[in-house]
Amino acid sequence: MHQLTIAEMIRGLQSKAFSSVELTRHLLARIQQLDSSYNSFITVTEELALSQAEAADQRIAKGEAPALCGVPVAHKDIICTNGVRTSCASKMLDNFIPPYDATIVENLNGAGTVTLGKTNMDEFAMGSSNESSYYGPVKNPWNTRCVPGGSSGGSAAAVAALLVPGATATDTGGSIRQPAALTNTTGLKPTYGRVSRWGIVAYASSLDQAGPIARNAEDAAYLLSAMVSHDQKDSTSLNRPHEDFTAGLSDSIAGLKIGVPKEYFGEGLNAETAARVQDALKEFEKLGAELVDINLPHTELAIPAYYVIAPAEASANLSRFDGVRYGHRCENPKDLRDLYMRSRGEGFGEEVQHRILVGSYALSAGYYDAYYNKAQQVRRLIKQDFVQAFEKVDVIMGPTTPSPAFELGAKGADPVAMYLEDIYTIATNLAGLPGMSIPCGLVNNLPVGLQITGNYLDESRMLNVAHQYQQVTDWHQASAV
Ligand code: GLN
């Protein structure tokens, strides 16, 4: 049963070939048996899962079940779940049990999904390797000596190891797409504002966006359709008519114009990764698409701008963890200052402290114009590059990451090498555009991701394009286990 895709599970559940309780028990047993090798879950919610599965079976029996009813999922541990610890993989929130569900959890619960548990991640979603978790690193199911990517490494590894057919994740600078690329899964970061951020612990609010990681585009479309909603509780939530993202999957892509940015194939890109991406582009030509050379001239400024803006916003967002209201509190504080300093010093890991320092510095009175304002100006230029490109093309394609998964510990000593992992994904967040990563080949038996960037609100087309590719190729079916 664990080999079934979400679409296949839906058919099996609706035709009563198996029940949600059977499916849920099977996957819980698999997690129990196998996850010690991957560490992809922080919390497994067995009791909750079984009660949701029973409720789902009753809805199915009454014939009033929505599509995803009874399908097991997992949620990244940055997404609040009522009564279930939400740790952000940090000692700071090791004891935090939210009294409410995030809007996306509420939406998925409403659609009848079954929550198997909460997935591991980089602490507060800061990282690209899932090595900064308080609960230990996640291992890549393709090779357990390698990282699964981050920060949503637990969600990606759990899907790749067939422990769960789909999971939620968040992407501030690449954290859905980069781990999807490194684990041979399909991940989608929606347009900024498409999915409510309410109840998701904020990292960098102007960049954060949640989306699905699944085994293929069709499954991602099912999950995304249930996740989106207009939400009064998120002031940046877009008010759009509800879309069924599965509706256009079968449309022909003949005549599609694919922009291929010169800047994404330059120095730093692994030659074999480039070759797999070029093969994928040829496949799209066979499907009737046309390749168009484009330029995104400000690409090289994306990382420096992001590493001012994201830490600046993080330093403000993370000020709420002060040891007073919830989260970690130090023992026997001498006074208020000591309480703040020791609670934060003990609760936050090294990378998080590093970002808070950088962000506070960039926002401080004397440096605000030199760093933060300058980075915002660069952000506008990066967005302009995309706006101009989308006057000529329908989607943009290139590699998701510069190379396949690297070994655990390989980039730990060099933060800049780690930051460069997101060189192709970060600009998408700065511009607020939707982006996707789909499997497009293997290098030394490690997966390569093809990145598809769409125009604003064009998730339907991206999923259609990805699905058409997955109808004529089988890279997404290659399995780690
Ligand atoms: N790797 C990037 C960072 O560390 C992006 C992380 C993310 O998208 N959450 O900030």
Side-chain angles (χ1 to χ4, degrees), residues 187-349:
L188 188 151
K189 177 203 99 70
T191 307
Y192 182 77
R194 185 62 114 158
V195 166
S196 167
R197 288 181 296 110
W198 194 81
I200 301 175
V201 179
Y203 163 15
S205 311
S206 76
L207 301 160
D208 297 343
Q209 191 59 197
I213 293 182
R215 302 236 308 277
N216 61 37
E218 183 180 23
D219 288 3
Y222 273 112
L223 291 172
L224 185 65
S225 303
M227 286 169 81
V228 296
S229 64
H230 173 55
D231 187 0
Q232 303 281 353
K233 292 183 285 198
D234 172 0
S235 60
T236 59
S237 161
L238 298 170
N239 191 355
R240 306 285 307 174
H242 192 267
E243 263 183 68
D244 173 0
F245 295 101
T246 62
L249 290 175
S250 307
D251 295 353
S252 158
I253 60 164
L256 179 84
K257 286 199 167 66
I258 301 174
V260 183
K262 172 172 118 276
E263 293 79 3
Y264 284 29
F265 291 87
E267 207 192 320
L269 176 63
N270 170 293
E272 291 191 80
T273 300
R276 296 297 98 79
V277 171
Q278 294 293 358
D279 290 346
L281 294 174
K282 287 195 198 105
E283 209 59 59
F284 279 104
E285 278 186 306
K286 285 195 225 152
L287 286 167
E290 180 194 338
L291 304 183
V292 182
D293 289 328
I294 59 162
N295 281 97
L296 297 171
H298 297 94
T299 295
E300 65 174 9
L301 298 179
I303 292 216
Y306 174 89
Y307 278 101
V308 171
I309 293 168
E313 294 186 19
S315 71
N317 275 326
L318 270 59
S319 66
R320 74 192 61 172
F321 305 109
D322 55 8
V324 176
R325 285 158 294 190
Y326 53 88
H328 176 73
R329 177 181 295 179
C330 67
E331 299 276 346
N332 306 317
K334 271 201 324 275
D335 52 27
L336 185 62
R337 196 180 162 80
D338 184 44
L339 168 80
Y340 288 154
M341 286 182 56
R342 279 202 290 127
S343 299
R344 288 169 66 80
E346 292 164 9
F348 291 135

Side-chain angles (χ1 to χ4, degrees), residues 364-377:
S364 58
Y367 298 105
Y368 190 91
D369 284 332
Y371 295 112
Y372 187 72
N373 262 350
K374 188 57 85 185
Q376 292 290 20
Q377 287 164 350

Side-chain angles (χ1 to χ4, degrees), residues 76 125-128 150-151 170-175 203 306-307 355 422:
K76 184 177 180 180
M126 298 173 187
S128 309
S151 64
T170 60
D171 189 314
T172 303
S175 280
Y203 163 15
Y306 174 89
Y307 278 101
R355 307 268 180 123
D422 297 316

